[in-house]
Amino acid sequence: NWLAGIFQHFTARPERGRADPQLHEHAVALNLCMDPVESEIKAIHFERLVNIAPKLRNLYHTLLKDEVERLGYKTRDTQFAFEIEGIPESAIKEFSQRTAKIEDLKDKLGITSPEAKAKLGATSRSPKQPGKPWDE
């Protein structure tokens, strides 16, 4: 009784002209649903959804991790989700430009609180760029 779209992306927002590989999805929910009692389309009360968003994110990561493991990959838990085992730390570092940029800014600005560090991600990212074909 609710319409949403899931959009899969394969790269992070580019930094210095290079996009790191980063499989992720965005969910866009329309603010409407059918009231089954009155048979009318109405706005959704998003407060409950917002309140359970962390649980939904954890469920999503659990389901994704289960599917990755079903495909035969081993995983390891991280602070926010999981990573595939066997990927060298050097590769993770090479393809984590945003993390490196945020860590550098945090140190330069003397930021110590996790909340302030989290805001750096939104305020320091590069603008979106037009997409490129896969062969590029």
Side-chain angles (χ1 to χ4, degrees), residues 1-3 30-45 48:
N1 191 1
W2 178 32
L3 188 58
L30 298 181
N31 187 12
L32 55 90
C33 66
M34 177 62 77
D35 182 323
V37 176
E38 298 180 19
S39 295
E40 290 183 6
I41 294 176
K42 295 184 176 181
I44 296 172
H45 295 284
R48 284 189 268 166

